[in-house]
């Protein structure tokens, strides 16, 4: 990536690709919240950044003024690449979402738990004897890749292909529009071949479900099916990989929390929610559709808004001790999965994967520490990309 | 002796977005539809001894969709 001019003022010239932001954004957001709660930048053709929970919430709820047709801030906007329902606004949003929801209810997702536990243990088997591992590369990233492939009925060893597309869309694509277009074209071809195969011979996987499901007596168009598949693949992998990685990172550097979770496994659900709050992986975006004013800031049409659920989750007005990770926090209305009509459709799946991944790791390797430099992804999804740990 | 307060819960269907947090913290008090959206179980009356769970469900709903009515 080419060098970017360094940021001199976070309130008027922020850059979410700045290395300081990528490594440790929390002090920057804390400063913004008091100095300038809705920051802006002329970079990326103009972007706003609300850092308070209330303002993030206001934008998320206001689908009249803020559109989801662009949900990633890029230097050059690419042609629209629909991935309904995440890129849909009302009224198209609701039917596109309704067809997907039944596949992601808690009961539907619960059926994946045995496969998830087995998968985690297969991964641990490969590195446990070594005494060291890269928990991001060898563990966290493999779990969602294989589970989504399992759900969609795709070969689990196509994982390298998925990770390549995800990096092209979510990371390289912020500054290189050709990477987005190239990845979209390849995904289109890949999914088209699988959709056609399911039309001939449907199975019990999610692609078969999408090719045969009817909404108000109508099947989805092939473009709609492929768009939704693109969403499930991109949104279901990087995000959960980051979530799992952040849990392990926290436990590696915070022995009291790790020891407590080993002794009190019943705390796990609360702990997972707290990790989701403190290390929420996903920052969405919206395009300003019509001029409006929130908290004294005028949003100009055509510009983008970074919708930082991670920043909202660290707002002390909403969360007492917002900067502390309290693994038994009882009241936790965190926004890690978004707010309003675009609530993450895979939230139950993500929770299952994070819970099982941490539980199985702690069962097999109750003691571990960081063992070298950790690196973080940049852009839409934040999580460890290198996470060396040492044990026993 | 005065009766203890009877609580009733209600999920606002216009606010619920299916986060399922209420169902996770108080499974006895909520039911989910085929789309994963929640509503109160039965007529929403909170059985004695489950008041804490009802308040926990309310204070964990990201959409502020869970209401508690004190009779």
């Amino acid at each position: 990536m080419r060098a970017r001019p360094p940021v001199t003022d976070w309130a008027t010239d922020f850059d979410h690709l700045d290395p300081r932001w990528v490594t440790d954004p929390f002090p920057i957001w804390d400063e913004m919240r008091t100095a300038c709660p809705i920051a802006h930048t002329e970079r990326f053709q103009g972007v706003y950044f609300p850092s308070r929970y209330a303002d993030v919430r206001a934008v998320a709820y206001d689908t009249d003024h803020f559109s989801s047709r662009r949900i990633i801030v890029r230097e050059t906007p690419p042609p629209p690449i629909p991935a309904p329902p995440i890129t849909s606004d009302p009224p198209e949003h609701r039917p596109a979402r309704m067809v997907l929801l039944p596949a992601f209810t808690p009961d539907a997702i619960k059926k994946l738990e045995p496969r998830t536990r087995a998968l985690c243990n297969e991964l641990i088997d490969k590195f446990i004897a070594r005494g060291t591992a890269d928990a991001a590369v060898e563990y966290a990233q493999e779990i969602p890749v294989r589970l989504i492939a399992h759900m969609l009925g795709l070969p689990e060893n196509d994982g390298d292909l998925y990770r390549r597309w995800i990096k092209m869309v979510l990371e390289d694509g912020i500054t290189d529009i050709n990477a987005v277009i190239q990845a979209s074209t390849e995904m289109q071809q890949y999914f088209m071949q699988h959709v056609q195969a399911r039309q001939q011979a449907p199975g019990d996987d999610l692609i078969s479900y999408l090719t045969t499901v009817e909404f108000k007596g109508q099947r989805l168009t092939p473009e709609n099916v492929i768009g939704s598949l693109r969403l499930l693949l991109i949104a279901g992998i990087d995000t959960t990989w980051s979530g799992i990685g952040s849990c392990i990172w926290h436990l590696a550097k915070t022995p009291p929390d790790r020891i407590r979770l080993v002794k009190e496994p019943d705390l796990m659900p609360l702990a997972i929610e707290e990790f989701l709050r403190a290390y929420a992986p996903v920052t969405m975006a919206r395009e300003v559709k019509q001029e409006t004013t929130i908290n004294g800031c005028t949003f100009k049409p055509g510009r983008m808004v970074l919708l930082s659920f991670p920043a909202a989750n660290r707002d002390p007005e909403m969360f007492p001790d917002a900067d502390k990770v309290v693994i038994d926090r009882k009241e936790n209305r965190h926004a890690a999965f978004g707010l309003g009509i675009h609530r993450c459709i895979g939230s139950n799946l993500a929770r299952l994967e994070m819970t099982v991944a941490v539980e199985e790791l702690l069962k097999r390797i109750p003691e571990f520490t960081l063992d070298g430099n950790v690196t973080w992804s940049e852009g839409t999804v934040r999580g460890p990309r290198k996470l060396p740990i040492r044990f026993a | 002796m005065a009766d203890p307060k009877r609580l009733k819960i209600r999920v606002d269907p216009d606010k619920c977005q299916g986060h399922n947090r209420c169902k996770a913290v108080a499974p006895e008090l909520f039911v989910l539809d085929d789309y994963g959206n929640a509503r109160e179980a039965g007529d929403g009356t909170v059985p004695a001894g489950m008041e804490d769970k009802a308040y926990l469900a309310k204070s964990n709903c990201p959409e502020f969709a869970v209401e508690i009515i004190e009779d």
Side-chain angles (χ1 to χ4, degrees), chain A residues 152-205:
Chain A
L152 294 175
L154 298 172
E156 284 190 8
N157 50 17
D158 278 357
D160 286 342
L161 209 51
Y162 308 155
R163 280 188 288 265
R164 179 166 167 271
W165 292 331
I166 289 166
K167 187 165 182 299
M168 288 164 86
V169 171
L170 295 183
E171 292 204 59
D172 306 344
I174 294 177
T175 49
D176 176 9
I177 183 179
N178 292 321
V180 185
I181 294 166
Q182 174 70 24
S184 300
T185 308
E186 289 180 22
M187 287 165 86
Q188 176 85 17
Q189 288 163 353
Y190 177 84
F191 281 131
M192 184 54 92
Q193 144 208 341
H194 284 285
V195 166
Q196 282 167 347
R198 299 310 192 286
Q199 282 168 334
Q200 304 292 319
D204 60 358
D205 55 68

Side-chain angles (χ1 to χ4, degrees), chain B residues 3 6 9 20 31 34-35 39 41-43 46 48 54 57:
Chain B
D3 283 341
R6 190 83 62 83
I9 46 163
N20 300 143
V31 289
D34 292 346
Y35 301 95
R39 62 183 162 77
D43 72 350
V46 177

Side-chain angles (χ1 to χ4, degrees), chain A residues 24-162:
Chain A
D24 186 17
F26 305 112
I28 300 172
W29 299 341
D30 288 344
E31 185 192 315
M32 283 176 164
R33 241 178 256 114
T34 45
C36 179
I38 299 177
H40 70 276
T41 186
E42 292 303 317
R43 301 174 192 231
F44 307 97
Q45 302 186 17
V47 188
Y48 304 94
F49 187 91
S51 53
R52 285 186 184 170
Y53 176 90
D55 298 336
V56 170
R57 181 182 185 85
V59 173
Y61 273 51
D62 183 353
T63 54
D64 290 336
H65 296 95
F66 300 97
S67 170
S68 286
R69 61 194 167 201
R70 287 164 62 200
I71 48 164
I72 298 178
V73 168
R74 305 183 189 280
E75 290 206 326
T76 315
I81 302 165
I86 202 170
T87 54
S88 317
D89 291 323
E92 291 80 17
H93 169 265
R94 192 176 151 79
R97 183 174 171 91
M98 295 288 272
V99 293
L100 291 178
L101 283 172
F104 291 90
T105 60
D107 283 350
I109 294 304
K110 186 86 184 145
K111 293 182 189 139
L112 295 167
E113 187 177 331
R115 176 74 199 114
T116 313
R117 287 204 191 274
L119 175 57
C120 289
N121 280 291
E122 287 161 23
L123 295 168
I124 295 169
D125 286 342
K126 289 186 193 169
F127 57 70
I128 191 164
R130 202 193 309 145
T132 61
D134 185 328
V137 173
E138 298 181 79
Y139 193 60
Q141 74 163 339
E142 289 292 339
I143 297 164
V145 164
R146 294 179 191 217
L147 209 59
I148 286 275
H150 173 76
M151 278 183 89
L152 294 175
L154 298 172
E156 284 190 8
N157 50 17
D158 278 357
D160 286 342
L161 209 51
Y162 308 155

Side-chain angles (χ1 to χ4, degrees), chain A residues 12 115 120 127 144 159 175 178 239 254 266 276 278 281 289 299 316 325 327 344 351 361 372 374:
Chain A
T12 58
R115 176 74 199 114
C120 289
F127 57 70
T175 49
N178 292 321
T239 49
T254 321
D266 290 351
L276 281 164
K289 199 160 60 171
F299 291 77
V325 177
I327 59 167
C344 170
R351 284 188 167 106
L361 186 71
V374 177

